[in-house]
Amino acid sequence: MLLQIPDILTAGEIAQCRAVLKASPWVDGRVTAGDQAAGAKHNLQIPEESETARELGMVILRALARSPAFNSAVLPLRVLPPMFNRYDPAMTYGFHVDNSIRAIPGSGGLRMRADVSTTIFLGDPEEYDGGELIVEDTYGTKSVKLPAGHAVVYPSSSLHRVSPVTRGSRWASFFFTQSMVRDDGLRAMLYDLDMAIIDLRQELGDGHHAVLSLVNHYHNLLRRWAEL
């Protein structure tokens, strides 16, 4: 399931991220790529262990915590600390798949499974040409280029790339989540059911028996499928 989530970040949070990133040093993005992906990757990143990454990572995590759409679609169990990248003219990232297992920084060697990848755009589309996120899934190829503060979530198992930037600079935050429900198809079913319940609550009210029955069904499915 590929889902676009608008306005995860407020205008103030976007401005804060951009101001801090503008004043921070960037390094070669290949430092976080696997052996195969490194050959296709040509961008810049903020060092993962830097104060900038920690400060802005907390901004991102607070925004995720208050987003019903993110939590419903992703069902997060663990979120890898958010990272930040930049694509200047001629920079690109060819087709690749994200690593399935990630080390959690500062955890003493703990690892997590990457089920869902997320990109939060930190610049508006008119600020740069190119730089689309291209994701291949079972329903074809999708091209994503969103306004600042908007996010896209998609399965980490998807082949994807960032098309070459030809003008301007593309800034974004990206990170990986281990979901309570590892199977993308099951997560999509739960998300669709949750959206239907929200619609019915507005139409029928929280106390209607049909609403309560569907809520019960949702939680029993989550209880069956969740891994904690």
Side-chain angles (χ1 to χ4, degrees), residues 158-208:
S158 305
L159 273 176
H160 58 285
R161 68 183 177 94
V162 176
S163 64
V165 169
T166 59
R167 178 190 64 85
S169 187
R170 175 196 191 267
W171 294 10
S173 175
F174 68 101
F175 52 90
F176 309 99
T177 303
Q178 179 173 335
S179 176
M180 291 184 285
V181 177
R182 75 167 70 195
D183 185 270
D184 179 59
L186 300 182
R187 283 197 310 274
M189 291 171 62
L190 286 169
Y191 176 75
D192 289 342
L193 180 57
D194 193 25
M195 294 302 99
I197 289 170
I198 289 172
D199 288 343
L200 283 176
R201 288 174 62 193
Q202 294 175 345
E203 183 176 342
L204 302 177
D206 288 348
H208 196 283

Side-chain angles (χ1 to χ4, degrees), residues 90-143:
M91 292 186 178
T92 186
Y93 197 166
F95 272 119
H96 62 283
V97 64
D98 293 324
N99 290 343
S100 55
I101 304 298
R102 296 268 176 174
I104 302 173
S107 67
L110 293 178
R111 296 182 292 176
M112 57 172 271
R113 189 181 64 244
D115 297 319
V116 182
S117 299
T118 302
T119 295
I120 301 178
F121 291 81
L122 298 176
D124 286 317
E126 60 269 18
E127 295 178 6
Y128 58 96
D129 294 331
E132 295 85 359
L133 174 64
I134 311 294
V135 181
E136 288 188 355
D137 64 15
T138 54
Y139 298 102
T141 301
K142 299 195 171 61
S143 176

Side-chain angles (χ1 to χ4, degrees), residues 7 9-19 59 121-123 147-150:
D7 298 319
L9 297 180
T10 66
E13 289 167 336
I14 296 167
Q16 178 185 359
C17 288
R18 290 173 64 93
V59 173
F121 291 81
L122 298 176
H150 292 217

